[in-house]
Amino acid sequence: MPAYYKPRNDLARVAFLRQAARTAQLDAAAGDAYLSQSLIDQADAAAQALSAAQLTADSCLSQRSREVEQRNEALQKLAYYVRDFWEVARRRMRRLEQPDAVLTFYGLHLDGATPNPSRAEEWLLIAAHVVQGESQAVAAGYPPMSNPSAAELTAVLETAQTAVSRVTTADRAYDQAQEALAAQRAQADRLIAEMMTELRFALRRHDAPSQRRILRNYGATFTDDARPQATPQI
């Protein structure tokens, strides 16, 4: 015996709600009121709300993807500037015969090891330390760095900080959109189940084939329709 499959994705949920509301209005006009007007109105509203929530979530995801791409580009540029700053500092130390300790102003170790952070926050902290260290080095009597200068590095750092903050904001917006979508999805599932219950009760005196034919007009899907992958509901 064919079994009913409830909608398992948002597109199917919206399609069911819209088709059920439309069919119910037509049947009511013809004298066959299988669904209450309250459920019909709720179905229309739920379909619109779920569709809008899905669009919002998709938009937030796209915005987040753009912000992540811009953050990665900004951090890559920041890494280039910091590494160039370090390299110039080493060359200047050798050229001007400065003590090795001058490198510690810029976050470099005396053993010559170069930091290689992997996280955005670490690059921001390192770059800020380099900028602060430059001020301390100048105060200690060393000439200011150039190519890149501390001012140039600061500008790149500020751009990267802004890009990282925008990703955080985009993450929060996407999380909120997903929460709103989940709430609308649950509401749609509740309404669909309620509509199916009301339809089955209204059609209880029809034979099984007639019930399925009418239910299909309301958006229901059965095992002999398209072999869906969801778990059937008897």
Side-chain angles (χ1 to χ4, degrees):
M1 177 180 176
Y4 163 67
Y5 280 91
K6 67 180 181 180
R8 293 287 181 170
N9 59 65
D10 294 335
L11 181 63
R13 290 181 177 95
V14 172
F16 184 107
L17 291 167
R18 286 178 173 167
Q19 184 172 341
R22 183 170 57 250
T23 302
Q25 295 283 22
L26 293 174
D27 283 348
D32 296 319
Y34 296 134
L35 286 178
S36 65
Q37 188 60 47
S38 174
L39 269 184
I40 295 172
D41 294 341
Q42 290 181 64
D44 271 330
Q48 294 178 20
L50 180 57
S51 181
Q54 182 63 65
L55 288 174
T56 298
D58 289 344
S59 176
C60 288
L61 180 59
S62 297
Q63 180 65 27
R64 182 187 180 280
S65 296
R66 288 192 293 270
E67 297 296 354
V68 168
E69 182 177 357
Q70 293 176 10
R71 178 202 63 187
N72 293 342
E73 292 175 354
L75 288 173
Q76 185 65 58
K77 184 175 182 179
L78 180 64
Y80 287 149
Y81 268 68
V82 171
R83 290 189 176 111
D84 284 352
F85 200 103
W86 284 336
E87 182 60 27
V88 172
R90 288 192 184 97
R91 289 177 178 274
R92 190 186 69 174
M93 179 197 70
R94 292 191 293 268
R95 185 176 67 253
L96 301 181
E97 298 181 347
Q98 296 171 342
D100 293 348
V102 71
L103 298 180
T104 61
F105 284 115
Y106 311 117
L108 292 170
H109 304 294
L110 294 179
D111 61 6
T114 299
N116 188 30
S118 58
R119 300 175 63 242
E121 294 77 7
E122 294 173 340
W123 273 115
L124 296 179
L125 289 173
I126 286 176
H129 179 81
V130 170
V131 171
Q132 182 180 10
E134 168 71 344
S135 297
Q136 295 172 345
V138 171
Y142 295 100
M145 289 283 294
S146 61
N147 195 31
S149 66
E152 291 172 325
L153 178 56
T154 297
V156 176
L157 171 59
E158 290 175 350
T159 298
Q161 288 172 328
T162 299
V164 170
S165 296
R166 288 176 67 91
V167 170
T168 300
T169 301
D171 279 340
R172 188 176 299 112
Y174 180 59
D175 288 341
Q176 292 172 346
Q178 284 291 92
E179 291 175 0
L181 176 59
Q184 293 300 331
R185 187 177 292 137
Q187 170 69 355
D189 285 342
R190 184 189 67 78
L191 278 174
I192 290 170
E194 191 171 343
M195 293 170 80
M196 286 297 296
T197 298
E198 196 166 299
L199 284 167
R200 284 191 172 115
F201 181 80
L203 299 171
R204 65 191 183 282
R205 301 189 188 280
H206 293 64
D207 60 27
S210 294
Q211 290 183 28
R212 289 193 295 274
R213 177 180 54 78
I214 295 173
L215 289 172
R216 285 188 179 97
N217 288 334
Y218 278 77
T221 300
F222 294 87
T223 52
D224 57 353
D225 290 334
R227 296 177 182 244
Q229 299 299 312
T231 301
Q233 306 295 309
I234 306 302

